[in-house]
Amino acid sequence: MKRAFAVIGLGRFGGSICRELTELGMDVMVIDKSEEKVNEYANLVSHAVVGNAVDETVLKGLGIRNFDHVIVAIGEDIQASILTTLMLKELGVQNITVKAQNDYHEKVLSKIGADAVVHPERDMGKRIAHNIVSNNVLDYLELSDEHSIVEIKASHKLDGRSIIDLDIRARYGITIVAIKRGKEIIVSPQASESIREKDILIVIGADSDINRFENKVMS
Ligand code: ATP
């Protein structure tokens, strides 16, 4: 079923979300106070509106509460981002995702009831840092301040060793939740599964434990 999304703010982040949602075949409405920005996206989406999101009558008039998900991608104007989120919440929008500019902004957004707060620059920075530090780390997803899911490329050091032989859970306190081997994906691999060089291990655990494992498998 087609779901309806509204994207408020068409900077690089909001614009990219809007393009991707359209590609996925979703109904998208965009709102930006800049006419130039709105014109840029007008041909792509079902509804493009020039308006100030801080104005409650604008949001009400657009029937914003009928959208399945609203993304607030107003960046620099933190006050406008907070006020917009607050109004969307008051108007009864079910799902609100907001882009945060800094940690303080993120805290306020969570307190006022944003369903998801994203911090793209910080998160991408962390992912790239992990990737730079270890060539074996392909991707990184933070679950909490201390836990992550990481994709690690198995080096020759692990080739032919089974999970039980490496005693990964006991020695490192982490769990291999899946192994990507070419096009095949082995979900919840058995302890007897042998790892091959170039396998991609998807591991979950505490960051410090994952780091110890990364150092061990570093080629
Ligand atoms: P990005 O990093 O995603 O490019 P940014 O964090 O630099 O964006 P801005 O450029 O400040 O964020 O804002 C993103 C968009 O939001 C802009 O196109 C701006 O016109 C729009 N915007 C800002 N405030 C409002 C508002 N109150 N109502 C509607 N649109 C707004």
Side-chain angles (χ1 to χ4, degrees), residues 9-13 32-34 37 51-54 73-76 80 99 101 121:
L10 291 167
R12 284 161 305 173
F13 179 70
D32 199 296
K33 63 180 185 183
S34 147
K37 283 280 170 195
N52 188 346
V54 174
I74 297 171
E76 276 168 36
K99 175 188 157 171
Q101 197 72 7
E121 288 91 353

Side-chain angles (χ1 to χ4, degrees), residues 10-201:
L10 291 167
R12 284 161 305 173
F13 179 70
S16 152
I17 295 231
C18 164
R19 273 190 292 272
E20 211 57 34
L21 287 172
T22 314
E23 283 276 307
L24 291 167
M26 301 294 146
D27 256 339
V28 183
M29 173 174 79
V30 294
I31 308 166
D32 199 296
K33 63 180 185 183
S34 147
E35 189 172 353
E36 200 185 329
K37 283 280 170 195
V38 170
N39 287 339
E40 217 180 290
Y41 289 84
N43 292 332
L44 205 68
V45 298
S46 38
H47 208 42
V49 180
V50 181
N52 188 346
V54 174
D55 186 344
E56 194 174 0
T57 51
V58 170
L59 295 179
K60 267 192 182 157
L62 292 168
I64 202 83
R65 67 183 303 272
N66 300 319
F67 284 79
D68 297 301
H69 203 137
V70 179
I71 296 102
V72 182
I74 297 171
E76 276 168 36
D77 190 347
I78 292 179
Q79 190 172 326
S81 158
I82 293 171
L83 270 175
T84 304
T85 307
L86 204 55
M87 273 186 290
L88 293 171
K89 200 72 201 159
E90 279 174 7
L91 291 169
V93 175
Q94 291 298 313
N95 277 298
I96 308 169
T97 295
V98 193
K99 175 188 157 171
Q101 197 72 7
N102 54 45
D103 291 347
Y104 159 75
H105 188 193
E106 181 171 2
K107 214 171 188 170
V108 175
L109 293 169
S110 302
K111 277 264 187 288
I112 61 176
D115 299 284
V117 180
V118 290
H119 210 318
E121 288 91 353
R122 186 196 61 190
D123 296 346
M124 191 47 84
K126 280 190 183 181
R127 287 166 96 158
I128 292 176
H130 276 256
N131 191 251
I132 292 169
V133 168
S134 164
N135 285 332
N136 293 82
V137 175
L138 303 178
D139 208 351
Y140 165 89
L141 176 70
E142 191 177 68
L143 296 176
S144 73
D145 283 348
E146 288 170 11
H147 293 82
S148 307
I149 294 183
V150 181
E151 279 192 358
I152 301 173
K153 191 164 68 183
S155 66
H156 66 281
K157 288 184 189 167
L158 299 183
D159 193 36
R161 311 269 314 262
S162 69
I163 295 174
I164 187 88
D165 170 33
L166 289 163
D167 208 9
I168 287 171
R169 199 173 289 180
R171 281 174 63 188
Y172 300 97
I174 61 173
T175 300
I176 298 181
V177 288
I179 298 175
K180 282 196 212 169
R181 182 171 295 153
K183 285 188 175 156
E184 187 190 3
I185 296 201
I186 306 159
V187 179
S188 297
Q190 306 271 334
S192 57
E193 183 72 41
S194 280
I195 295 170
R196 299 182 197 162
E197 187 177 354
K198 296 203 179 112
D199 274 356
I200 295 167
L201 313 176

